[in-house]
Amino acid sequence: MTGTTSQTLATNKPQSTDVQRFEVTHIDGDAYTVDIRGHRLQVDQPIEAGGTDTAPTPTELFAASLATCVAFYAGRYLHRHGLPQTGLRVRTEFAMATDRPARVASVRLVVVPPPGLPEQRRAALLAVVSRCTVHNTLHQPPETDIKLEP
């Protein structure tokens, strides 16, 4: 581009002003705490990675976030259709990439519906859980900006 011509590019920036805020604070060693809307979560690293294993790792919480979002959407679907949620589970496994950069390479989720889910509801349930907010975010990643405070 030359001159003073401006160009606008589409981004994944939020379209609303509904910004959620929270803060992560160091506790000790590799342990951190995060306070979200009055709830407190902790993260740590396993002993073999130098931590004290007092809490899940951030990566485990990442996979758990996806799994719990899928479970939530499944539960809402079942409730909306007057079906029991008792027995609903989401089995989850993930694998780390073996090359750089460090990242999750794959996540596998298996939704275990409540016993007696009608066969004609299975495809719709799968369609609903496949469109949970966290899964959608992975398919359309947000703009991420990391800065160092002056």
Side-chain angles (χ1 to χ4, degrees):
M1 280 178 54
T2 59
T4 59
T5 304
S6 64
Q7 182 178 14
T8 303
L9 299 175
T11 65
N12 290 335
K13 288 185 179 179
Q15 298 299 312
S16 72
T17 58
D18 186 24
V19 175
Q20 307 293 315
R21 290 184 173 83
F22 58 86
E23 191 164 289
V24 175
T25 306
H26 180 252
I27 298 173
D28 185 48
D30 288 334
Y32 293 83
T33 186
V34 57
D35 291 296
I36 303 172
R37 297 183 306 101
H39 305 283
R40 179 164 283 179
L41 303 171
Q42 285 188 245
V43 297
D44 197 356
Q45 293 295 313
I47 292 171
E48 62 271 13
T52 55
D53 203 20
T54 60
T57 68
T59 308
E60 290 166 336
L61 288 181
F62 166 77
S65 178
L66 176 58
T68 55
C69 192
V70 165
F72 168 75
Y73 271 62
R76 281 286 175 97
Y77 172 86
L78 294 167
H79 178 75
R80 188 171 53 250
H81 292 283
L83 299 166
Q85 299 174 44
T86 304
L88 172 64
R89 294 178 295 141
V90 178
R91 290 195 310 259
T92 308
E93 59 185 46
F94 69 93
M96 299 299 294
T98 57
D99 60 345
R100 296 281 180 217
R103 66 195 183 285
V104 173
S106 65
V107 181
R108 182 174 182 258
L109 300 110
V110 176
V111 177
V112 179
L117 178 70
E119 188 63 37
Q120 66 269 23
R121 294 282 185 189
R122 294 179 67 84
L125 176 61
L126 181 59
V128 166
V129 301
S130 297
R131 290 171 181 83
C132 81
T133 304
V134 176
H135 192 239
N136 287 343
T137 302
L138 291 172
H139 284 280
Q140 293 184 351
E143 181 177 306
T144 304
D145 184 30
I146 301 175
K147 296 179 182 179
L148 189 63
E149 187 170 273

